[in-house]
Amino acid sequence: MFSMPEASELVESFPSYIPLLVTLGVVAASLLAARWYFQRKEAKFGTHNNFSRPIVMLVLTAFALVALIIALPLKDGTKDQLLGLFGLVMTGIIGLSSTTFVANAMGGFMIRSIASFRSGDFVRVGNTFGRVSARGLFHTEIQTEDRDLTTLPNLYLVTNPVTVVRNSGTIVSASVSLGYDTHQAVIEPLLLEAAKGAGLEDPFVRVMELGDFAVVYRVAGLLTEVKQMVSKRSQLHINVLNTLHDAGIEILSPNAMMQRPLKDGQKIMPVASPVSAPTPKVEDVPENRIFDKAEEAETIERLVFERDKMVKEKLELEKQLSTLEGEEKGAAEKRILFIDTEVVRIDAHREAIQGEGESKNAPAEQ
């Protein structure tokens, strides 16, 4: 039958629990301090590239468990058995999850080391296309053309081809099938005109296929402002449609005559539009709404990079102040004051961006 220990026994055994209590206090303080540090860092720099937090917290938790086992008021043989059991359990967990957990972590390290893309870049992985909105240790988040957020494991990214749109420019194209009754020399200038009207540089036209009933043309050009890729692709299709219709050219294969009876000489094309299409404002491009989170992530990452660069420059100048004299010292002090002002400006800009993002994502009040 179980009996409660007497008060005297508890008092006598209390000193043996002091190491355990001290260890508990140190472990709790360490975990809380690490959590406070990362929360402060996230508030200052954002959570878009929170790469080190999961690693540090996992390592601290493992060390905390080992320290608690060592501090238990048990015999050395029992402690050794508990440590062995803990090591065996951890080995089993790592072994069973190595294909996902560890593999994704290794994939995150590989992506960071290669640095093939960063926040804000347009990427295509399989059937997923969009802009990178967050990069983590185990996953990468992509904001699609529907403004939705797609999370891809890093293991998937390192085992599949990733297409990254270059910031210097990309090729935007549109394909169209036209009948053999219209000469290529007539079609090519019209397609070039449509591409130039969409704001593409150095446009060109290629014949992609000679089909049984139609010729497939592809018009393309260089887009230097890649952030407008979605809207420019749509504008190119609109320009191709309107330019060919205005020239009296059907965008329809002749075999449609065999599927739908038409009057002799009737063309499948709309009548001329009575009103001109409105010209979209440059600042009102749909990408600003579609990729808002990716744009925020790119801006914050760029601001953090600029801030770190200025802080390093300030530290170097402060080290050199003792060796400088006269005008050189005065110029260095002015530069330090300028850096301090810029750091404050960057911090305010970043906080404003994060505040706007939080207000957009906040649930609406009922």
Side-chain angles (χ1 to χ4, degrees):
M1 184 176 179
F2 177 77
S3 60
M4 295 293 295
E6 297 180 0
S8 59
E9 295 179 355
L10 292 175
V11 173
E12 292 177 357
S13 62
F14 178 76
S16 62
Y17 286 92
I18 292 179
L20 177 61
L21 295 177
V22 173
T23 304
L24 280 173
V26 173
V27 166
S30 301
L31 293 177
L32 289 175
R35 182 181 179 184
W36 172 82
Y37 169 77
F38 285 112
Q39 287 179 343
R40 184 179 178 183
K41 183 178 179 182
E42 289 173 1
K44 194 172 185 180
F45 299 106
T47 59
H48 303 284
N49 295 296
N50 191 0
F51 195 71
S52 58
R53 177 173 181 173
I55 299 177
V56 174
M57 296 304 294
L58 284 173
V59 172
L60 284 178
T61 302
F63 276 110
L65 291 175
V66 173
L68 290 175
I69 293 175
I70 295 175
L72 287 174
L74 300 174
K75 296 180 180 180
D76 292 340
T78 306
K79 290 182 181 180
D80 293 340
Q81 292 178 358
L82 286 176
L83 289 173
L85 178 61
F86 175 74
L88 183 63
V89 171
M90 291 300 298
T91 303
I93 292 175
I94 294 175
L96 293 175
S97 62
S98 60
T99 57
T100 54
F101 184 82
V102 177
N104 281 319
M106 292 300 102
F109 283 114
M110 181 176 176
I111 291 173
R112 283 302 181 102
S113 61
I114 297 176
S116 58
F117 60 83
R118 60 183 183 180
S119 297
D121 285 348
F122 280 95
V123 297
R124 183 185 299 278
V125 188
N127 296 325
T128 303
F129 174 77
R131 295 183 67 183
V132 178
S133 56
R135 294 184 298 166
L137 176 62
F138 304 108
H139 74 279
T140 297
E141 185 182 79
I142 296 177
Q143 190 167 23
T144 65
E145 296 179 69
D146 298 324
R147 201 173 175 268
D148 299 328
L149 301 176
T150 300
T151 300
L152 299 178
N154 287 333
L155 177 61
Y156 179 79
L157 294 177
V158 299
T159 55
N160 289 275
V162 179
T163 302
V164 182
V165 177
R166 300 175 62 185
N167 291 326
S168 59
T170 185
I171 297 297
V172 175
S173 63
S175 298
V176 60
S177 298
L178 302 174
Y180 281 94
D181 56 340
T182 306
H183 199 281
Q184 177 268 339
V186 176
I187 295 173
E188 183 169 344
L190 296 174
L191 295 180
L192 292 175
E193 177 185 347
K196 292 178 180 178
L200 303 182
E201 300 178 7
D202 303 325
F204 57 92
V205 176
R206 292 191 294 171
V207 177
M208 304 302 296
E209 182 183 355
L210 300 178
D212 293 336
F213 305 102
V215 181
V216 179
Y217 295 88
R218 181 174 182 262
V219 56
L222 177 65
L223 177 65
T224 55
E225 186 57 49
V226 295
K227 293 183 179 180
Q228 300 181 10
M229 182 167 56
V230 175
S231 58
K232 288 298 183 180
R233 186 187 296 124
S234 174
Q235 187 61 46
L236 176 60
H237 283 88
I238 293 173
N239 288 3
V240 169
L241 180 68
N242 294 334
T243 302
L244 293 176
H245 282 172
D246 291 342
I249 298 176
E250 290 180 302
I251 307 178
L252 191 67
S253 301
N255 63 330
M257 296 285 293
M258 302 167 56
Q259 301 174 359
R260 179 180 175 187
L262 300 173
K263 295 180 181 180
D264 187 21
Q266 180 181 353
K267 295 183 178 180
I268 306 300
M269 56 184 293
V271 296
S273 176
V275 295
S276 58
T279 303
K281 298 180 180 179
V282 176
E283 63 273 11
D284 192 30
V285 292
E287 286 83 355
N288 293 337
R289 297 182 294 275
I290 296 174
F291 302 113
D292 56 341
K293 185 175 182 182
E295 187 73 25
E296 176 187 339
E298 179 188 19
T299 303
I300 291 178
E301 185 172 321
R302 176 173 51 81
L303 291 175
V304 171
F305 175 79
E306 292 177 359
R307 187 184 190 280
D308 292 342
K309 183 178 179 180
M310 288 187 174
V311 169
K312 291 179 181 178
E313 182 183 356
K314 177 185 175 181
L315 294 175
E316 292 294 330
L317 291 174
E318 289 176 343
K319 292 179 181 179
Q320 298 174 5
L321 278 179
S322 58
T323 60
L324 298 177
E325 296 180 356
E327 295 181 356
E328 292 182 351
K329 185 175 182 179
E333 291 175 345
K334 290 181 179 180
R335 179 62 181 173
I336 291 175
L337 291 176
F338 173 78
I339 291 175
D340 290 337
T341 304
E342 284 297 300
V343 168
V344 173
R345 182 189 64 81
I346 290 174
D347 290 341
H349 187 192
R350 187 182 61 249
E351 291 175 0
I353 293 175
Q354 292 175 347
E356 292 178 0
E358 292 175 358
S359 62
K360 290 179 181 178
N361 297 327
E365 296 183 359
Q366 300 294 334

